[in-house]
Amino acid sequence: AAAKRKRDVPAARPKKRAKKAPSAPGLEAKSSPDGAAPEEYSIPPPVSQGKWKNKERVLIFSSRGINFRTRHLMQDLRTLMPHSKADTKMDRKDQLAVINEVCEMKNCNKCIFFEAKKKQDLYMWFSNTPQGPSAKFLVQNVHTLAELKMTGNCLRGSRPLLSFDPIFDKEPHYALLKELFIQIFSTPQYHPKSQPFVDHVFTFTVTDERIWFRNYQIIEEDASLVEIGPRFVLNLIKIFQGSFGGPTLYENPHYQSPNTHRRLLRLSVAAKLREKQQVKEVQKIKKTGSTVLIGEDPTEVVFKTPAEEKPVEIQLVKPEVKPIVKDKKKLRKIQRKKQKKLFRTEA
């Protein structure tokens, strides 16, 4: 029979029974203090709560005028960095300070900006927005994931290890770049788009005053490395105190702009051509100077007999003008007519 409800008093709902989980090894059921049958099963909590604390976001985009290789490189970096964001291409006429506002709109505190000039030179900016510092590099020897047919592969969204050359700890400007690379390329722990695996390595090596970037896969069997890609070389130009500008903290004395490099190549080609012409002229002078002039031999005239002297004849009658006839047949006809006249006069 249904119990009568009292006025102005809500009826008490019956408690739901806890569902019994299937028995599994390693799980122990909580028993009631009265010694009754177990009702609930407890699962041990994870080691870490998995809170996303380091909220680093990197904006990766470019200016207008980039070629297909740069576009593929930019897309490869976006796939390797799950904490990155994309944006539309920036107009060339806009100043670089506008990028700070774009990063603020996208809620990003780091930025990688690809700047193209003359449709052949590629510059890369790494910046900590909006306070700074920022570094400008010239990108050389670009090879993308699609271009390099390598056997290495890694899980999409996995967190990488960062390996740096020992030189990064010796010089101050390299130490600053190391900290900037760590904050940009390292995927934050427990990022929503990242995977809880570490299966590839980003290496930064300094050789020939340039920074060489490589990406390797870690093979579990023997802990060997297989290259995945992409690969590129960064030639440092300047380090600025602010974001995309400000006072210059460091300037690379070994840097040579692509314009001067191309100019020196043209001058070297022109110098080689001039050298070839000079060698030819010297050879001509040697050939003309090598001929030795031999003096006249007086005995050569001994066996030469002088020619008979002919009397000088003075022609008093004007010579007949020969008709200039281009056609040979007409010339023969004229000669025949003259001969016939001579025969008639003789006869």
Side-chain angles (χ1 to χ4, degrees), residues 59 61 87 90 94-111 127-131 243-244:
L59 181 65
F61 72 117
D87 195 23
M90 196 182 75
D94 296 340
Q95 295 182 356
L96 294 176
V98 182
I99 302 175
N100 295 325
E101 299 177 5
V102 177
C103 291
E104 187 178 355
M105 292 167 60
K106 289 284 184 179
N107 197 15
C108 296
N109 50 5
K110 299 290 185 295
C111 181
S127 176
N128 179 23
T129 57
Q131 290 87 11
S243 177
F244 296 99

Side-chain angles (χ1 to χ4, degrees), residues 5-242:
R5 295 182 182 178
K6 295 181 181 181
R7 292 181 180 180
D8 301 333
V9 177
R13 294 182 180 178
K15 292 183 179 179
K16 293 182 179 179
R17 292 182 181 179
K19 293 181 180 179
K20 292 183 180 181
S23 60
L27 300 178
E28 295 180 356
K30 286 185 179 180
S31 60
S32 59
D34 300 338
E39 294 180 356
E40 295 181 357
Y41 289 91
S42 64
I43 298 173
V47 180
S48 177
Q49 297 296 327
K51 292 181 181 179
W52 178 31
K53 295 179 181 179
N54 181 20
K55 297 190 177 182
E56 294 283 350
R57 299 180 184 89
V58 183
L59 181 65
I60 302 176
F61 72 117
S62 67
S63 65
R64 296 194 181 277
I66 61 172
N67 54 7
F68 71 99
R69 195 185 299 272
T70 308
R71 188 172 64 254
H72 284 285
L73 174 64
M74 184 171 59
Q75 192 63 33
D76 293 343
L77 289 179
R78 286 174 183 169
T79 54
L80 290 173
M81 300 164 64
H83 60 292
S84 63
K85 288 188 177 183
D87 195 23
T88 56
K89 294 179 182 178
M90 196 182 75
D91 197 0
R92 294 181 187 175
K93 296 178 182 178
D94 296 340
Q95 295 182 356
L96 294 176
V98 182
I99 302 175
N100 295 325
E101 299 177 5
V102 177
C103 291
E104 187 178 355
M105 292 167 60
K106 289 284 184 179
N107 197 15
C108 296
N109 50 5
K110 299 290 185 295
C111 181
I112 298 177
F113 178 66
F114 293 89
E115 186 181 5
K117 291 185 178 179
K118 294 188 176 181
K119 296 184 179 181
Q120 55 184 345
D121 301 331
L122 176 63
Y123 297 92
M124 189 185 294
W125 287 82
F126 293 93
S127 176
N128 179 23
T129 57
Q131 290 87 11
S134 59
K136 185 180 181 182
F137 296 91
L138 174 69
V139 186
Q140 299 171 334
N141 301 335
V142 178
H143 298 279
T144 59
L145 276 170
E147 182 182 354
L148 295 173
K149 297 179 181 178
M150 297 187 177
T151 57
N153 194 6
C154 65
L155 182 67
R156 184 185 178 93
S158 60
R159 301 179 65 223
L161 292 174
L162 300 183
S163 173
F164 290 93
D165 198 273
I167 303 176
F168 280 92
D169 297 327
K170 296 179 181 178
E171 298 187 14
H173 62 281
Y174 281 132
L176 177 62
L177 292 176
K178 178 182 178 181
E179 184 63 30
L180 191 62
F181 290 153
I182 288 172
Q183 295 183 13
I184 290 176
F185 286 97
S186 60
T187 303
Q189 195 174 11
Y190 305 114
H191 191 277
K193 293 183 180 179
S194 66
Q195 300 291 339
F197 301 100
V198 178
D199 58 354
H200 63 288
V201 186
F202 289 161
T203 61
F204 298 89
T205 311
V206 178
T207 306
D208 194 19
E209 303 296 335
R210 291 170 175 82
I211 300 172
W212 300 63
F213 176 85
R214 295 290 184 271
N215 182 20
Y216 297 98
Q217 179 199 359
I218 303 171
I219 299 177
E220 295 180 0
E221 287 79 8
D222 52 353
S224 60
L225 300 177
V226 179
E227 189 173 357
I228 305 172
R231 58 162 69 168
F232 53 88
V233 180
L234 298 174
N235 190 0
L236 178 62
I237 303 173
K238 283 184 182 181
I239 300 175
F240 300 96
Q241 185 176 354

